Amino acid sequence: MISTARQPTSALGQAGATEAPPLEIHDLTVSYHKKPVLWGIDLVVPAGKLVGIVGPNGAGKSTLIKAVMGLLPLNSGWVKIYGKSFQKNLKRVGYVPQRESVDWDFPVNVMDVVLMGRYGHLGLIKRPSKRDREIARECLDKVKMLPYSDRQISNLSGGQQQRVFLARALAQESDVYFMDEPFSGVDAATESAIITLLHELRAKGKTILVVHHDLPTARNYFDMLLLLNMRVVAFGPTEEVFTYELLQKTYGGRLTILSEVAEAVRQKV
Amino acid sequence: MSELIPPFHWHTFLFSPWNDPLIATSNFWIVLMGFMVATACGLVGNYLIVRRMALVGDAISHSVLPGIAIAFLVSQTRGSTAMFIGALIAGIVTTIIIEVIHKKTRVKQDAAIGIAFTSLFAIGVILISLFAAQIDLDQECVLYGEIGYIGPEALAGEHTRIFGIPLGPITVARMILVTIATCVLIALFYKELLVSSFDPGLASSLGINATMVHYGLMSWLSVVVVSSFESVGAILVIGMLILPGATAALLTARFPRILLLTVLNAALSSLGGVHLATWLNCSPAGAMVVMASLLFSAAWIFSPHDGLIRRWYYMRGAGTSEPSEATVELTSK
Amino acid sequence: MFFMLSKRTFIYLLTALGYFLFFAGNVEAARIGDISEMSIGEQTARFFSFQDPAVRYAVIGSILLGITCGLLGSFIVVRKMALVGDTLSHAVLPGVALGFMWNMTKNPIAIFIGATIAGLIGTAVVNLIKQTTRLKEDTALGMVLAGFFAVGICMITMIQQLPTGNVSGIDKFLFGQAAAIGKDDLILMATVTVLTLLIVGIFYKEFLVSSFDAGFARVAGFPVQVLHYTLMLLLAFAVVISLQAVGVVLVSAMLITPAAAAYLLTDRMHKMIWLAAGFGMLAGLVGAFFSFLGPSLPTGPFMVLGASAVFATAFFFGPKHGVTTRWWQQRSRAKRMNRENTLKSIYHVLEDRAFKGESVSLEELKIRRAESFEEAHQRARELAAHDLATFDAKKSQIYLTPDGWQRACEIVRNHRLWELYLTNAVQFAADHVHEDAEKIEHVLGDEVVREIEKRLNYATKDPHGRDIPGLRDVEKGKRMDGAPAETIGYGRRT
């Protein structure tokens, strides 16, 4: 079960038979200021799954996503998206960064931001076409933000800003999505809207990796969980991985979190 | 090109500023003035660096100009009191403008600093060129000062005496007092300054008024800037504010040691600057800042903590050089 | 007027202006700075006749640099790199001096190359310091600014010692003199402006996305680093062409201030860019004009003040973010709430006597509001001034107009609906809801009110058991018996 992470990647060579997995990581090490943050990560994520990445603060959850997308230099190892390097498969990857990573006073409106999701398909120089606007409008509608499309982005609530980011990712029309804490600081309505949306995407065969910080909800939201603390503690179907022992291994001796875990595990039994 | 840079001889470089007794006396006062300016600026600058306000210092060193110009116009003299008051007001006005712009609008602090000081500096320059007859400053002096004039003044015997001790020309005497006052103030308010710079939240829970400390620091910065102004000019003050402190910060992480190293750096920069200026026959104030930059470069390269050489050595030794961004591409073959 | 300025009109305007300035008049005259006996009026007339080629060069040059700086400045401001611009503009000085030493004349190309290289080295050193030490960005910027500038100052003073150095006008680079702009400079400036317009025009989308969200842009496959360095290169170009007119010390203001002013006026990047270019042009013109008026007036400071004036106007009177505008809006909102509170009190008075009688006396209002007679009178006058009520002949009774009555019903209705909503849906205690409703009643929009109605099943009683006035109550006054034709219930027309 847990050994999914260590599965040999033999299927890779046989092109044509089955497509390579959406995400494959081998021996990934990343360090900040001479201190390793991720160490020897091996991971193969199967297609069509909703994967939660959980772990304590500083476990390297966001770092993992950034490293996969080439936003951070790697000390060792490699990453493949559908069997190719990330740079060769850009269009198949959608990204939802943390909300705090941008300046919300930036002079753009909601529509402009969602249109940015189309930029990758346009390539250099070309301007967004009518069709791109149409797609952007559909994506806004899916997150119920269409009425706000002319709003300047600072005039939105935190949840609305997050939905704009989601709409932008949808507009990318990718096959695998990386989302960095999409649930942080959003209202309950947005949280359930996001979850519905993620399920819809999964139903279409997309693969979604979500950095998540809330353990109790993690169990209900995701098909598979990646327990991360500098190394991969466990990776597998939620019901197999969400055990007291593994979570304790992930979170170490942090008492408050552990009691939450204990509560969550008890509910499950 | 070659006519511009005179040939370099160690002997001339080291001794020519001190050969002739007259020139030596003149240079002594220049070095003393430079040392005082660099010490006062450097000590205050240390707090600007830890507060991440280095460029606020830049802003204030520009924007005291209209204050000085107006003080000249109103008092019609080169008196110190009017100038101090003018500069103090200008400094506080700058601080307030920056705060108001970035608190009341979505314009960020960096742009607010840029807008505030350029406007005030522009007003100052215009006042100087409009009332050139009444204001005893010229545009070049505003930029790189007239530290060279201190020598002749001192030789002419225009000494200001306090308790019978000759303290040199009025500008030097004033600067000595300001520098001593700076040291005394830092000694008195050492813990308030440190705590409010490090953690404003903790400071207010300890009953230290962080806003007061902020405005106090800015006011004192204006005083230091205005008394340095005539000798090193508005813009080179920023060099003296930041370079000694930044150099010290590369060499040690402990704040008291940083303060001591700043003073040492000030002495080396002013002495070295005079030698450099004598050799190249250029502006002594400029040469002092160039000297301070050279000292910084040396610290940057040779520092035992995170100097470039040590870094390079470490990377080679550890074998984990930081890979380029293309690593993903390269390693996924 | 600038808000209306579309891209196309902007370009037409520019072409026409350029054409006019290049070809209008051929009378040769002395250079700008030389004349000092002329009065301000004569100088003004001379300036605007554009007869003087030096004036034309100065004006075109100032306009070109204003456009370039405004355009690039927009990106600088939104990327929070304003102080990078400041550092870059100081760091070019040694390059200027080096370019000057090339053959000891003011050769625009040599100076351009030298200054650009120096500026780029300066920004590279800032990056290197940031990456390899614990020093923060502001410290690194300040050090490079001061260090490079000092080297430049030393070189300039060395040049001035030379027999050929002093007459050359290198000192004009510190504060700028538009009159020193020659034909070669102008060609260079035009080239840079066109280049900037082209690159920003072609790669607008790329610059936009990488400025807003660099991480996302990289994942979407855009060369963020290349775009960044392109921007820095253009920025260095802009600084260098501006040196002649604005001077090293104040160039950063031309980058920051017009763009910051535009930032206060619009919420869209492309509009901001055009506005900033327009403002930069305006500031350039102002600077060229004022420095023309006196013999030794530098251009740069006047340009900067022109830009600052634009910023101050936007800061105080901008339609959306202006400080005065917002203050005025708050004030009128406060006054409106005050009027609505008066209306509500009048409604309460009428309600207490079961809506008998059409008018409310000032005395009743005074008692109801627990205020002085003067205050009640003032309130009534406020209502009368906004056509919400009228006085009787003796000025002691107030009658609500139809508008006034309707607004009074609405406000009481909002208040009671909200109270009910809080007690029912949010389950507040009935004695805790009044305060909240006092504030909310003034801001509830029609949509929200309808939503609340629906959720409350169109209730008609508030938590204190009083009627919630509905549509029929607004109509109620109209059915008052025996009213003369021109009187409509509480709303008495006079």
Side-chain angles (χ1 to χ4, degrees):
Chain A
M1 49 156 215
I2 296 147
S3 61
T4 329
R6 312 280 172 197
Q7 261 176 13
T9 54
S10 55
L12 256 178
Q14 307 157 4
T18 47
E19 200 184 27
L23 173 66
E24 199 181 347
I25 301 176
H26 176 75
D27 188 29
L28 176 87
T29 301
V30 177
S31 53
Y32 275 136
H33 302 297
K34 304 166 193 170
K35 225 181 96 189
V37 182
L38 293 172
W39 192 272
I41 305 284
D42 287 310
L43 190 67
V44 178
V45 176
K49 297 284 182 200
L50 182 51
V51 181
I53 303 175
V54 294
N57 286 336
K61 304 186 293 273
S62 295
T63 308
L64 179 65
I65 282 198
K66 285 183 183 148
V68 164
M69 286 181 305
L71 295 177
L72 293 173
L74 313 183
N75 289 93
S76 73
W78 50 254
V79 174
K80 282 180 186 176
I81 306 282
Y82 290 108
K84 289 190 200 157
S85 81
F86 174 78
Q87 269 76 6
K88 289 188 182 136
N89 248 336
L90 287 171
K91 282 180 195 165
R92 301 190 68 173
V93 180
Y95 177 37
V96 179
Q98 284 187 15
R99 202 153 44 82
E100 296 78 31
S101 67
V102 303
D103 171 17
W104 289 94
D105 282 335
F106 201 91
V108 284
N109 64 19
V110 168
M111 192 62 183
D112 291 334
V113 176
V114 179
L115 269 179
M116 286 179 194
R118 301 299 304 159
Y119 284 9
H121 293 262
L122 293 172
L124 288 175
I125 303 174
K126 265 207 314 246
R127 294 283 162 102
S129 66
K130 224 173 201 170
R131 159 124 187 81
D132 292 313
R133 292 185 175 276
E134 200 43 55
I135 292 174
R137 215 165 284 130
E138 281 165 21
C139 297
L140 270 177
D141 198 31
K142 271 186 204 152
V143 297
K144 300 195 177 57
M145 287 292 290
L146 194 54
Y148 299 91
S149 64
D150 287 333
R151 276 248 192 130
Q152 205 272 329
I153 51 173
S154 60
N155 301 330
L156 299 173
S157 72
Q160 289 171 329
Q161 291 177 343
Q162 194 64 59
R163 285 195 240 176
V164 172
F165 260 14
L166 273 174
R168 181 177 71 172
L170 290 181
Q172 288 185 285
E173 296 188 323
S174 313
D175 295 320
V176 52
Y177 286 94
F178 296 92
M179 305 189 176
D180 204 344
E181 303 245 8
F183 297 107
S184 91
V186 304
D187 50 294
T190 302
E191 182 151 349
S192 69
I194 295 175
I195 269 302
T196 317
L197 197 69
L198 295 185
H199 288 162
E200 265 175 44
L201 285 173
R202 181 185 53 187
K204 284 185 196 159
K206 317 267 183 189
T207 312
I208 308 141
L209 283 94
V210 181
V211 170
H212 194 59
H213 63 285
D214 184 43
L215 257 187
T217 52
R219 190 164 71 86
N220 304 321
Y221 285 174
F222 303 108
D223 309 331
M224 296 180 82
L225 282 182
L226 170 64
L227 302 186
L228 191 73
N229 193 351
M230 206 164 95
R231 295 159 184 271
V232 175
V233 178
F235 176 59
T238 305
E239 58 273 19
E240 291 173 24
V241 171
F242 203 88
T243 63
Y244 187 80
E245 292 73 29
L246 284 175
L247 288 168
Q248 190 183 34
K249 232 174 120 188
T250 313
Y251 282 83
R254 297 180 198 204
L255 286 173
T256 46
I257 296 168
L258 281 181
S259 58
E260 261 177 50
V261 173
E263 184 58 32
V265 173
R266 208 172 300 127
Q267 279 172 8
K268 178 177 143 190
V269 177
Chain B
M1 197 91 186
S2 56
E3 56 188 313
L4 210 58
I5 298 175
F8 182 82
H9 299 296
W10 273 110
H11 192 268
T12 12
F13 182 75
L14 284 181
F15 296 107
S16 65
W18 314 105
N19 276 342
D20 183 272
L22 275 182
I23 296 176
T25 323
S26 155
N27 278 339
F28 166 75
W29 289 107
I30 295 178
V31 171
L32 183 67
M33 181 65 182
F35 174 57
M36 288 298 149
V37 168
T39 307
C41 286
L43 289 176
V44 176
N46 274 322
Y47 291 98
L48 297 182
I49 292 173
V50 291
R51 288 164 164 253
R52 305 197 183 171
M53 282 169 46
L55 289 158
V56 177
D58 178 29
I60 286 185
S61 63
H62 281 84
S63 57
V64 293
L65 185 62
I68 295 175
I70 291 171
F72 259 121
L73 280 179
V74 172
S75 71
Q76 300 288 345
T77 59
R78 216 186 158 96
S80 320
T81 328
M83 252 171 64
F84 272 114
I85 294 172
L88 207 61
I89 293 172
I92 291 171
V93 166
T94 315
T95 317
I96 292 173
I97 292 180
I98 294 173
E99 295 270 305
V100 166
I101 291 181
H102 99 100
K103 293 245 166 79
K104 292 268 175 192
T105 71
R106 53 180 168 169
V107 172
K108 303 292 181 297
Q109 197 186 11
D110 61 332
I113 292 174
I115 294 166
F117 88 79
T118 52
S119 313
L120 283 163
F121 191 68
I123 292 175
V125 175
I126 289 172
L127 283 176
I128 287 177
S129 41
L130 279 181
F131 303 99
Q134 287 101 308
I135 302 175
D136 189 15
L137 274 173
D138 60 30
Q139 293 177 10
E140 275 70 36
C141 159
V142 166
L143 285 185
Y144 45 89
E146 287 172 346
I147 200 169
Y149 293 178
I150 288 168
E153 277 180 41
L155 288 177
E158 295 167 16
H159 284 232
T160 308
R161 282 164 195 277
I162 292 176
F163 304 124
I165 310 159
L167 290 176
I170 174 79
T171 43
V172 183
R174 201 170 56 202
M175 194 66 228
I176 292 176
L177 291 183
V178 168
T179 308
I180 293 172
T182 308
C183 297
V184 171
L185 283 172
I186 286 180
L188 283 179
F189 297 107
Y190 182 80
K191 69 175 187 307
E192 283 81 4
L193 279 167
L194 197 63
V195 172
S196 71
S197 303
F198 173 65
D199 185 350
L202 175 68
S204 57
S205 76
L206 292 175
I208 298 167
N209 187 335
T211 321
M212 280 301 290
V213 174
H214 176 70
Y215 277 93
L217 190 65
M218 290 300 112
S219 309
W220 192 251
L221 177 64
S222 311
V223 169
V224 170
V225 165
V226 71
S227 42
S228 321
F229 196 84
E230 277 178 89
S231 51
V232 294
I235 289 150
L236 300 183
V237 168
I238 174 91
M240 291 309 191
L241 278 171
I242 301 177
L243 281 164
T247 312
L250 287 187
L251 297 173
T252 173
R254 302 224 13 236
F255 205 70
R257 283 190 204 154
I258 288 183
L259 292 180
L260 277 178
L261 277 176
T262 302
V263 178
L264 184 68
N265 188 308
L268 285 176
S269 303
S270 47
L271 189 63
V274 166
H275 283 263
L276 201 64
T278 311
W279 170 46
L280 292 172
N281 192 15
C282 67
S283 150
M288 286 178 189
V289 178
V290 172
M291 201 60 210
S293 311
L294 291 177
L295 287 174
F296 172 80
S297 310
W300 187 18
I301 294 167
F302 299 109
S303 159
H305 292 285
D306 45 12
L308 287 178
I309 289 183
R310 197 189 140 81
R311 261 180 92 85
W312 175 76
Y313 183 77
Y314 169 85
M315 280 180 193
R316 262 189 47 157
T320 55
S321 66
E322 280 185 345
S324 69
E325 287 150 17
T327 309
V328 190
E329 177 76 40
L330 291 171
T331 49
S332 52
K333 50 184 176 268
Chain C
M1 146 203 99
F2 261 111
F3 308 102
M4 297 292 130
L5 202 69
S6 79
K7 194 153 106 187
R8 191 161 294 161
T9 45
F10 186 83
I11 290 165
Y12 286 154
L13 205 82
L14 219 63
T15 326
L17 195 63
Y19 187 82
F20 175 64
L21 289 174
F22 256 118
F23 300 107
N26 285 310
V27 185
E28 290 288 328
R31 295 183 74 100
I32 297 182
D34 298 345
I35 301 99
S36 51
E37 314 88 52
M38 281 181 145
S39 74
I40 287 181
E42 283 171 64
Q43 285 286 77
T44 313
R46 232 185 105 215
F47 182 84
F48 283 108
S49 68
F50 298 113
Q51 297 283 304
D52 193 332
V55 173
R56 289 211 298 276
Y57 287 161
V59 168
I60 299 173
S62 308
I63 289 175
L64 286 175
L65 82 88
I67 293 171
T68 314
C69 286
L71 214 146
L72 292 171
S74 305
F75 287 104
I76 298 304
V77 167
V78 298
R79 295 173 85 133
K80 291 176 233 131
M81 279 167 44
L83 297 167
V84 177
D86 191 29
T87 301
L88 185 73
S89 60
H90 282 79
V92 296
L93 194 62
V96 171
L98 264 183
F100 202 84
M101 286 179 198
W102 185 255
N103 50 9
M104 281 300 159
T105 53
K106 216 194 80 192
N107 177 352
I109 302 290
I111 290 176
F112 182 83
I113 294 172
T116 308
I117 291 175
L120 291 179
I121 293 178
T123 46
V125 172
V126 171
N127 276 343
L128 203 61
I129 292 177
K130 249 178 12 185
Q131 279 165 15
T132 60
T133 70
R134 286 168 300 157
L135 297 171
K136 300 294 179 294
E137 179 170 28
D138 62 325
T139 307
L141 285 171
M143 281 192 307
V144 169
L145 182 153
F148 275 60
F149 196 75
V151 172
I153 290 285
C154 286
M155 289 167 79
I156 285 184
T157 48
M158 280 152 73
I159 292 174
Q160 281 175 336
Q161 308 282 342
L162 296 172
T164 48
N166 220 4
V167 287
S168 53
I170 190 171
D171 52 325
K172 290 278 179 279
F173 279 98
L174 293 176
F175 291 105
Q177 182 50 264
I181 294 177
K183 200 167 186 176
D184 294 345
D185 297 307
L186 210 56
I187 292 170
L188 198 64
M189 291 170 107
T191 314
V192 168
T193 309
V194 170
L195 187 75
T196 310
L197 280 168
L198 275 179
I199 292 183
V200 172
I202 292 172
F203 298 104
Y204 173 72
K205 176 183 81 190
E206 285 76 13
F207 281 121
L208 180 72
V209 67
S210 66
S211 302
F212 173 63
D213 189 344
F216 180 84
R218 274 168 79 168
V219 173
F222 290 104
V224 174
Q225 290 293 325
V226 176
L227 287 166
H228 176 79
Y229 288 118
T230 311
L231 195 64
M232 294 309 287
L233 187 70
L234 287 178
L235 196 61
F237 286 170
V239 165
V240 177
I241 61 159
S242 312
L243 289 182
Q244 190 97 116
V246 194
V248 169
V249 188
L250 290 171
V251 173
S252 62
M254 288 301 286
L255 289 168
I256 302 166
T257 316
Y263 190 33
L264 294 182
L265 294 177
T266 172
D267 283 340
R268 303 293 294 281
M269 188 69 192
H270 58 100
K271 285 185 192 157
M272 179 177 164
I273 289 176
W274 289 112
L275 264 181
F279 289 158
M281 202 171 90
L282 193 69
L285 266 175
V286 168
F289 172 68
F290 277 103
S291 76
F292 180 73
L293 292 182
S296 64
L297 295 177
T299 318
F302 280 107
M303 276 191 197
V304 171
L305 279 195
S308 305
V310 173
F311 179 81
T313 314
F315 178 79
F316 286 112
F317 307 111
K320 262 188 213 154
H321 305 281
V323 172
T324 320
T325 321
R326 268 189 303 180
W327 172 80
W328 183 254
Q329 282 166 351
Q330 268 165 22
R331 195 168 160 250
S332 48
R333 199 178 307 134
K335 284 180 104 172
R336 181 174 61 90
M337 280 173 63
N338 227 351
R339 284 198 299 277
E340 288 175 351
N341 285 336
T342 317
L343 285 174
K344 195 171 62 176
S345 303
I346 292 175
Y347 184 96
H348 287 153
V349 172
L350 290 168
E351 187 182 41
D352 284 352
R353 53 174 142 95
F355 300 102
K356 294 220 165 54
E358 290 176 30
S359 65
V360 169
S361 70
L362 286 178
E363 195 59 31
E364 282 173 299
L365 181 62
K366 175 198 133 179
I367 294 165
R368 177 79 214 177
R369 303 275 329 164
E371 285 170 348
S372 73
F373 187 79
E374 267 316 301
E375 281 168 305
H377 193 216
Q378 176 55 37
R379 279 176 182 281
R381 271 194 310 235
E382 259 301 298
L383 289 188
H386 285 83
D387 279 335
L388 295 169
T390 51
F391 283 105
D392 73 339
K394 280 182 281 173
K395 300 251 171 202
S396 62
Q397 301 280 324
I398 344 167
Y399 297 86
L400 292 179
T401 64
D403 282 350
W405 170 247
Q406 190 186 338
R407 192 74 202 119
C409 287
E410 275 168 17
I411 209 77
V412 173
R413 178 180 167 72
N414 285 355
H415 183 100
R416 292 183 180 168
L417 274 174
W418 188 253
E419 281 191 339
L420 191 63
Y421 175 68
L422 285 187
T423 40
N424 281 17
V426 196
Q427 299 185 337
F428 271 38
D431 56 340
H432 281 67
V433 294
H434 179 74
E435 282 294 309
D436 197 47
E438 278 290 299
K439 286 177 217 130
I440 275 306
E441 66 193 16
H442 302 283
V443 293
L444 284 180
D446 283 350
E447 252 172 72
V448 183
V449 170
R450 268 195 295 271
E451 179 67 29
I452 294 175
E453 278 173 347
K454 213 160 61 184
R455 291 212 192 164
L456 295 172
N457 278 326
Y458 304 95
T460 54
K461 296 272 182 195
D462 79 350
H464 311 287
R466 289 170 310 201
D467 281 328
I468 298 176
L471 200 59
R472 81 200 132 71
D473 295 286
V474 178
E475 304 282 323
K476 188 156 119 193
K478 291 183 184 167
R479 279 185 268 111
M480 298 268 307
D481 303 325
E486 74 274 22
T487 308
I488 305 166
Y490 293 111
R492 189 170 100 158
R493 290 243 169 85
T494 48

